[in-house]
Amino acid sequence: MKQFLDENFLLQNKTAEKLYHDFAKHMPIIDYHCHLPQSQILADTQFQNLTQVWLYGDHYKWRAMRTNGIDEAYCTGDKPDFEKFEQWAKTVPYTLRNPLYHWTHLELQRYFGVTDILNADSARDIYEKCSAQLRTPDFSVRNLLRKMNVATVCTTDDPADDLKDHQALKAEGFEIPVLPAFRPDAAMNVDNAANFKKYVARIEKAANANITNLDSYLAALQSRHDFFAANGCSVSDHGLEEIYAEDYTDAEVSQLFDKVIGGTELTLEERRKFKSAMLVHFAEWDWKKGWVQQYHLGALRNNNLRRMRELGPDTGWDSIGDFSQGRALAKFLGKLDDENKLAKTIIYNLNPADNELMATMIGNFNDGSVAGKVQFGSGWWFLDQKDGMTKQMNALSNMGLLSKFVGMLTDSRSFLSYPRHEYFRRILCNLFGTEIEAGELPNDIAWTGQVVQDICYNNARQYFGWQHLKSGN
């Protein structure tokens, strides 16, 4: 029987072990999509205890605690920090076979050197040991990034954001580039006329513009796109239920803007047309600047209306959706490709039933101009665990080229989430190692090891145009 979480965790044979330890383990991390607060990087924040860094804002843990019968006061409420941690520790033994069990103990080991199993009995000792370390300079936010060998961080930012923290970090000369990503979801969200009008006012202020119609709104947004580019941004991101690809005319969309800004609610068909037009504008701007555009598709958000009213979004009431993705995605990408305006694109899928759809869709628009121009992104959100990652990589292997994959991203709000990259790398190496040992792949460790290193780091470095980052070989 293997020991839990030993050095060969998830590595089921000698070849997998060699691939991981000799090739994958020490590769730097390119975190090209996350939700880390750049203000805490700028401040080089030191957390006072394990709850602050581990449980604040972590809706993965909150969902497990709620399912275990823990009152909301210990999740998003105002209970003391140790009491919150104690309730999480009581929940951990019940997370067996949930990825939280692996992540929890990986993070305790990798950051704090704690090898004990977290449960109600060990809670106090682990909390005190880890909290004491967090209060030392070696565990400041920047040192946590250094400890995990992070080469760059890409945050998620609204077009109205001032990017002052990014500017200050660059002026300071912090050696790990912290780059913004353009996330214009709110800029196309006309589901509520009053909220959209407030957002337009934010853009008006940020762009120092007078917005009176659709043309002036687009001009203001494009000026923000330019501003982001001037501050090191070369990546956009969209979090959508599905791609919108309705037919529309410019005149129609202009009228819809006037209508919604005047306070009239749009019909479902009208909202879809407006969103379709905005997506095309954003994509064309990305193409013109040579950016990478990302589309996170398939989340059904804020399902619990009562909790949404009480707690707001991003508090753990979301699920996988069952949207029809194929036809609209083909139409959207096809329109851009037909006009030779398709930027490098990453598509993330949240419904595993659509894995093969996505893996074949990218092949329709990989035109030879760039290696892996259109990517099937790593297992995302509910799928960034062993089964989800394996299924995504198997679909990509069967339908495309896993060797050109840009690999794992963190997609987290926590500075303790970087062992997810290790988790991914171990799964990747085990896939290759198992098939080599079964005689399904040749025993060419040097070449396979190079492919592993490319997926872990080199492909992303090349794909995003970040050759200034240190070499991964």
Side-chain angles (χ1 to χ4, degrees):
M1 180 184 297
K2 294 182 69 172
Q3 182 181 343
F4 173 64
L5 216 66
D6 68 1
E7 65 177 3
N8 293 321
F9 173 59
L10 298 178
L11 306 173
Q12 297 174 353
N13 53 69
K14 293 298 182 182
T15 304
E17 293 171 10
K18 184 170 184 61
L19 288 171
Y20 176 72
H21 292 294
D22 292 358
F23 294 94
K25 182 176 181 178
H26 299 293
M27 298 297 286
I29 290 172
I30 291 180
D31 193 6
Y32 56 84
H33 173 72
C34 73
H35 299 275
L36 293 177
Q38 58 268 21
S39 60
Q40 292 183 345
I41 303 176
L42 177 62
D44 201 15
T45 298
Q46 282 188 243
F47 298 98
Q48 294 305 299
N49 60 58
L50 191 50
T51 298
Q52 290 180 5
V53 69
W54 224 19
L55 289 170
Y56 284 18
D58 192 335
H59 50 80
Y60 289 82
K61 293 185 177 73
W62 295 343
R63 284 170 69 100
M65 291 168 71
R66 292 164 185 152
T67 303
N68 196 39
I70 305 299
D71 189 88
E72 190 65 30
Y74 296 96
C75 300
T76 60
D78 58 0
K79 290 290 186 180
D81 282 349
F82 176 70
E83 291 184 20
K84 288 184 174 183
F85 180 81
E86 189 174 36
Q87 293 303 319
W88 167 239
K90 290 178 179 178
T91 299
V92 168
Y94 295 97
T95 66
L96 286 176
R97 301 202 75 246
N98 184 296
L100 283 166
Y101 197 86
H102 285 163
W103 296 344
T104 293
H105 293 99
L106 268 176
E107 291 165 17
L108 287 173
Q109 279 199 21
R110 297 300 177 261
Y111 288 98
F112 305 105
V114 171
T115 57
D116 295 338
I117 298 298
L118 179 60
N119 54 39
D121 293 335
S122 63
R124 173 65 74 176
D125 184 58
I126 288 175
Y127 183 82
E128 291 181 352
K129 283 181 179 178
C130 296
S131 297
Q133 292 181 67
L134 284 166
R135 290 191 290 269
T136 67
D138 286 347
F139 283 76
S140 71
V141 158
R142 297 191 193 186
N143 282 327
L144 291 176
L145 295 175
R146 294 177 179 119
K147 187 179 183 71
M148 290 294 109
N149 198 18
V150 177
T152 195
V153 171
C154 230
T155 61
T156 305
D157 308 272
D158 188 272
D161 290 349
D162 60 23
L163 304 185
K164 286 184 178 178
D165 291 340
H166 290 89
Q167 293 169 344
L169 280 162
K170 184 176 181 181
E172 264 189 36
F174 180 44
E175 76 273 16
I176 301 173
V178 181
L179 307 174
F182 190 77
R183 178 77 172 251
D185 294 352
M188 58 183 271
N189 187 358
V190 287
D191 292 347
N192 180 288
N195 289 342
F196 183 70
K197 188 173 182 177
K198 290 177 184 177
Y199 183 79
V200 171
R202 284 187 64 202
I203 291 296
E204 198 170 39
K205 181 178 179 181
N208 193 25
N210 182 28
I211 297 174
T212 58
N213 54 29
L214 179 63
D215 286 343
S216 55
Y217 181 53
L218 290 173
L221 282 172
Q222 190 165 12
S223 76
R224 300 305 296 165
H225 198 271
D226 295 340
F227 172 75
F228 270 59
N231 282 277
C233 179
S234 60
V235 177
S236 72
D237 182 66
H238 306 261
L240 306 170
E241 292 181 345
E242 57 188 317
I243 286 288
Y244 301 98
E246 306 296 324
D247 293 327
Y248 62 86
T249 67
D250 292 341
E252 275 184 303
V253 179
S254 182
Q255 291 169 3
L256 292 176
F257 180 85
D258 293 342
K259 189 175 177 179
V260 71
I261 208 70
T264 301
E265 299 295 345
L266 302 184
T267 67
L268 176 60
E269 180 183 1
E270 289 173 331
R271 297 198 301 268
R272 293 179 69 90
K273 285 191 174 188
F274 187 85
K275 293 174 183 180
S276 298
M278 296 302 292
L279 279 178
V280 170
H281 284 297
F282 298 143
E284 289 178 345
W285 300 344
D286 291 347
W287 165 78
K288 191 171 184 179
K289 288 189 174 72
W291 284 12
V292 173
Q293 57 190 8
Q294 303 176 88
Y295 299 94
H296 287 80
L297 304 177
L300 189 61
R301 300 174 188 269
N302 305 316
N303 297 279
N304 189 318
L305 299 180
R306 176 171 61 89
R307 290 304 196 182
M308 174 63 180
R309 287 193 301 270
E310 294 171 352
L311 303 174
D314 301 322
T315 52
W317 312 99
D318 314 300
S319 65
I320 292 170
D322 57 351
F323 307 97
S324 179
Q325 302 284 5
R327 191 172 297 278
L329 189 54
K331 185 176 179 181
F332 174 70
L333 296 175
K335 174 181 172 65
L336 295 168
D337 181 77
D338 194 47
E339 297 175 4
N340 197 26
K341 294 181 179 179
L342 180 59
K344 288 184 282 189
T345 302
I346 307 176
I347 303 167
Y348 304 90
N349 168 52
L350 198 57
N351 190 333
D354 291 331
N355 278 348
E356 281 73 18
L357 184 158
M358 298 297 179
T360 53
M361 184 63 69
I362 66 171
N364 296 329
F365 301 101
N366 273 314
D367 57 10
S369 60
V370 175
K373 176 180 176 179
V374 184
Q375 292 271 332
F376 179 17
S378 181
W380 167 52
W381 200 342
F382 296 109
L383 304 182
D384 61 353
Q385 29 75 4
K386 185 173 69 170
D387 185 60
M389 291 180 195
T390 300
K391 286 179 177 176
Q392 184 269 344
M393 286 191 276
N394 281 338
L396 180 55
S397 298
N398 288 331
M399 313 296 177
L401 296 182
L402 181 64
S403 56
K404 294 301 178 181
F405 180 31
V406 292
M408 186 58 175
L409 66 164
T410 308
D411 192 25
S412 174
R413 292 169 173 79
S414 171
F415 289 96
L416 296 190
S417 290
Y418 283 100
R420 292 186 192 179
H421 286 260
E422 174 186 337
Y423 199 64
F424 168 85
R425 292 173 181 185
R426 287 176 179 271
I427 292 165
L428 172 69
C429 292
N430 193 64
L431 287 175
F432 278 115
T434 299
E435 294 188 358
I436 288 172
E437 296 230 347
E440 296 179 32
L441 294 175
N443 187 23
D444 187 341
I445 299 301
W447 174 247
T448 308
Q450 180 62 60
V451 169
V452 164
Q453 289 186 326
D454 289 346
I455 295 169
C456 291
Y457 181 79
N458 297 325
N459 287 347
R461 179 173 176 262
Q462 179 70 29
Y463 185 77
F464 288 94
W466 294 333
Q467 285 88 351
H468 60 282
L469 300 178
K470 56 188 174 183
S471 172
N473 296 322

